[in-house]
Amino acid sequence: MHCKVSLLDDTVYECVVEKHAKGQDLLKRVCEHLNLLEEDYFGLAIWDNATSKTWLDSAKEIKKQVRGVPWNFTFNVKFYPPDPAQLTEDITRYYLCLQLRQDIVSGRLPCSFATLALLGSYTIQSELGDYDPELHGADYVSDFKLAPNQTKELEEKVMELHKSYRSMTPAQADLEFLENAKKLSMYGVDLHKAKDLEGVDIILGVCSSGLLVYKEKLRINRFPWPKVLKISYKRSSFFIKIRPGEQEQYESTIGFKLPSYRAAKKLWKVCVEHHTFFRLTSTDTIPKSKFLALGSKFRYSGRTQAQTRQASALIDRPAPHFERTASKRASRSLDGAAAVEPADRSPRPTSAPAIAPSPAAEGGVPGAPVKKAQKETVQVEVKQEEAPPEDAEPEPSEAWKPPLVKTQTVTISDTANAVKSEIPTKDVPIVHTETKTITYEAAQTDDSNGDLDPGVLLTAQTITSETTSSTTTTQITKTVKGGISETRIEKRIVITGDADIDHDQVLVQAIKEAKEQHPDMSVTKVVVHQETEISEE
């Protein structure tokens, strides 16, 4: 079968696939054509109309999902990474930039005038390089589409900003673009029209952090994934069950009305996929249903964000060359410039992450000036999902619930001569327990010699100690910003046990010990989170 795929750089990729080919077969061919390694963030879309699309299911045959010939798709970003600096390759960031440029021009990603000018200037720098009066005319910015309603005033501001940049490589321009774009309120939000139970028009948005509710272009509610116990739909109604708050005794269920049964099912699928991709460490560990059941057996079949980071970190390949949208930039491809100018690939410093980070997060990319951070014991909680029901029609109701809890301890030691990794895992039985998490942060500044570049990560340590009833994880991060050294300490204490433990006393003792250990530092934040887990029969 003949396929046409519209790409993000406005070119079209055409190929012939076997008539029983699945969605993943075509997606893989497109990513190979683009030389993309981190393909799991992308997908192939079928557009129902100018504003509504359906994602091609990778696990199903293409012919069962499309009508007519040739088969027409668009290649788009499906999962927008919350921190683009964590992406392994510059080519991935470039295609994310292309997607966001489309989102801005189409109006899907609203921006203020100042933000449009700033992002536009980074786009021009990425495509054309430094301003050169001999090469660039008086209105060279007008050749680019940067905003839905582009004005002369905006173009003049873009040129003013662009002319101020000196020796900024394409990769740096892309990263600056993404660092600003990711802060926008509608970044990576998949929108679905709906009504509340009173019939008022609203918009439901799905993103990496959870489910959002908008009314008249203002966000009126947010349901983070950790608070969502179950999502389901029945006919054209969509429901979410919310975990009770600290002052509440029972769970609450909130319902919404979608335009049709198909729209409710589409929203449900998007929620399942986003939760799985961003919240789980692996799709391989999702248990299959033990009982035959009517209804949907749909599950996200690709890799999670954690899995794609691990996979790309294991592959060592030269930085791929690729051509930019503007032909003037073909000789200075993004990764070619990165290889010449090392600062190109250095990310902003971050505190030590809770899971094994990608090389981009640690400055492990060749040529980055950030010193390699030494990681010690890190404890993470692994959430596993029950198999959500799949696609048999008609379905009386679809439901998905989060899961049993496993505790996984990951130990990574990294020295100049050797790298070793140990991953012991043990199951923890689900019992009636209460857990409080205490977060302690302190910050200190003192004068430095100022020889290092601003924002350079010096060290990042994570130290974990355990007793029979608690686990203490201390993260110490030292950075240099603007010539000033900054030490940040975050202590996370998880106390697990039954009602016999005096949690308040443990909290008081933890704060007291923190002040004694670091008398010259101040406690800036204490967060207490309490959960109750009930064993399942």
Side-chain angles (χ1 to χ4, degrees):
M1 299 298 293
H2 187 63
C3 297
K4 283 187 175 183
V5 181
S6 299
L7 304 177
L8 290 166
D9 60 359
D10 295 328
T11 61
V12 176
Y13 171 70
E14 298 188 45
C15 67
V16 176
V17 298
E18 189 263 330
K19 67 176 182 179
H20 294 292
K22 295 183 177 179
Q24 61 194 14
D25 301 324
L26 179 57
L27 179 60
K28 191 167 189 65
R29 289 185 64 171
V30 174
C31 290
E32 287 174 350
H33 167 72
L34 296 173
N35 204 6
L36 267 176
L37 176 66
E38 298 169 285
E39 60 188 54
D40 302 281
Y41 292 96
F42 301 87
L44 298 174
I46 309 164
W47 288 85
D48 307 315
N49 53 57
T51 59
S52 176
K53 65 179 180 295
T54 301
W55 292 105
L56 185 68
D57 192 330
S58 295
K60 288 186 176 180
E61 290 186 11
I62 301 174
K63 69 176 185 178
K64 295 182 179 179
Q65 304 179 66
V66 295
R67 297 176 182 175
V69 289
W71 292 342
N72 293 309
F73 308 97
T74 60
F75 178 77
N76 296 104
V77 174
K78 185 175 184 180
F79 302 114
Y80 290 71
D83 185 5
Q86 297 269 330
L87 294 171
T88 301
E89 296 197 318
D90 294 326
I91 187 172
T92 315
R93 280 188 282 271
Y94 175 60
Y95 280 104
L96 176 57
C97 285
L98 292 182
Q99 177 68 72
L100 290 168
R101 292 183 204 173
Q102 285 189 9
D103 293 346
I104 291 170
V105 170
S106 67
R108 291 190 297 268
L109 184 58
C111 304
S112 65
F113 176 86
T115 302
L116 283 172
L118 183 63
L119 296 178
S121 69
Y122 290 133
T123 294
I124 302 301
Q125 180 70 26
S126 172
E127 295 290 352
L128 301 182
D130 291 349
Y131 172 72
D132 186 340
E134 295 183 0
L135 293 177
H136 305 138
D139 58 351
Y140 63 99
V141 167
S142 61
D143 295 336
F144 293 83
K145 187 66 176 171
L146 304 173
N149 301 304
Q150 194 161 316
T151 63
K152 192 67 177 176
E153 182 187 7
L154 176 65
E155 292 176 0
E156 289 174 354
K157 186 62 179 177
V158 169
M159 287 189 287
E160 177 188 336
L161 291 170
H162 175 231
K163 290 175 183 179
S164 69
Y165 303 145
R166 291 291 179 271
S167 303
M168 181 186 290
T169 65
Q172 288 173 322
D174 286 342
L175 190 54
E176 291 293 341
F177 180 100
L178 295 173
E179 286 295 304
N180 285 276
K182 75 177 185 181
K183 300 172 185 175
L184 296 172
S185 61
M186 299 300 291
Y187 169 81
V189 181
D190 192 325
L191 299 177
H192 301 255
K193 292 182 179 180
K195 294 180 183 290
D196 63 17
L197 294 183
E198 296 178 355
V200 177
D201 288 335
I202 58 170
I203 300 288
L204 297 177
V206 186
C207 64
S208 61
S209 61
L211 189 68
L212 313 174
V213 184
Y214 298 89
K215 180 180 177 182
E216 296 177 352
K217 298 184 179 180
L218 294 175
R219 194 178 82 186
I220 60 174
N221 214 337
R222 174 176 178 265
F223 304 103
W225 293 129
K227 290 197 67 176
V228 178
L229 290 173
K230 183 170 73 172
I231 53 176
S232 60
Y233 70 95
K234 186 173 184 179
R235 298 187 179 90
S236 61
S237 297
F238 176 81
F239 304 96
I240 57 173
K241 183 179 285 188
I242 305 300
R243 188 187 303 274
E246 292 184 4
Q247 307 299 324
E248 299 168 333
Q249 188 174 0
Y250 302 105
E251 303 130 347
S252 57
T253 300
I254 302 172
F256 303 95
K257 199 75 174 176
L258 275 292
S260 65
Y261 161 81
R262 185 184 177 193
K265 181 178 179 180
K266 183 199 293 188
L267 173 59
W268 178 80
K269 280 188 172 184
V270 170
C271 287
V272 170
E273 290 183 323
H274 274 71
H275 179 275
T276 305
F277 183 80
F278 289 108
R279 292 285 296 169
L280 298 191
T281 57
S282 169
T283 54
D284 301 332
T285 55
I286 301 176
K288 294 183 178 179
S289 177
K290 296 180 180 178
F291 305 99
L292 293 175
L294 294 175
S296 175
K297 296 176 183 175
F298 170 78
R299 290 204 306 263
Y300 171 64
S301 57
R303 294 186 298 193
T304 66
Q305 179 174 240
Q307 286 176 311
T308 195
R309 283 179 179 175
Q310 291 168 3
S312 48
L314 293 174
I315 297 176
D316 184 18
R317 70 168 182 169
H321 288 263
F322 56 97
E323 192 169 311
R324 307 212 130 236
T325 305
S327 58
K328 296 177 183 178
R329 203 59 172 167
S331 61
R332 293 183 61 187
S333 66
L334 180 61
D335 291 279
V340 175
E341 300 184 66
D344 206 60
R345 297 176 66 94
S346 61
R348 280 159 177 62
T350 57
S351 56
I355 28 182
S358 66
E362 294 184 334
V365 182
V370 179
K371 294 185 180 179
K372 197 149 193 173
Q374 184 166 351
K375 304 296 178 187
E376 296 180 9
T377 307
V378 179
Q379 178 159 344
V380 297
E381 252 189 2
V382 180
K383 296 280 186 180
Q384 293 187 345
E385 304 298 326
E386 288 183 2
E390 195 164 80
D391 255 356
E393 295 181 12
E395 297 126 341
S397 173
E398 310 308 334
W400 158 91
K401 294 192 299 184
L404 307 180
V405 178
K406 275 191 174 183
T407 298
Q408 183 179 46
T409 301
V410 181
T411 304
I412 301 174
S413 60
D414 193 347
T415 65
N417 300 319
V419 177
K420 66 178 182 178
S421 155
E422 301 172 11
I423 309 182
T425 305
K426 68 174 183 177
D427 290 346
V428 177
I430 303 300
V431 294
H432 183 81
T433 63
E434 288 187 358
T435 301
K436 281 193 179 181
T437 304
I438 305 160
T439 303
Y440 147 73
E441 292 183 8
Q444 174 195 39
T445 60
D446 55 83
D447 291 336
S448 172
N449 56 19
D451 291 337
L452 297 175
D453 292 333
V456 174
L457 177 65
L458 294 180
T459 61
Q461 271 192 314
T462 304
I463 305 168
T464 299
S465 61
E466 294 185 65
T467 67
T468 55
S469 61
S470 68
T471 301
T472 301
T473 303
T474 304
Q475 293 182 350
I476 304 174
T477 308
K478 294 184 179 180
T479 58
V480 169
K481 296 180 181 178
I484 302 298
S485 66
E486 180 179 281
T487 302
R488 179 188 180 92
I489 299 176
E490 182 176 17
K491 181 174 290 189
R492 183 172 181 266
I493 307 171
V494 180
I495 310 106
T496 306
D498 51 31
D500 295 335
I501 295 178
D502 187 343
H503 293 281
D504 293 330
Q505 183 58 40
V506 175
L507 171 61
V508 172
Q509 183 64 26
I511 296 175
K512 180 181 177 183
E513 290 177 0
K515 290 181 177 179
E516 290 175 350
Q517 292 171 359
H518 307 281
D520 56 338
M521 304 176 81
S522 58
V523 175
T524 58
K525 184 172 68 173
V526 175
V527 178
V528 179
H529 177 65
Q530 183 172 328
E531 290 184 349
T532 302
E533 299 174 353
I534 308 296
S535 61
E536 296 185 1
E537 296 297 326

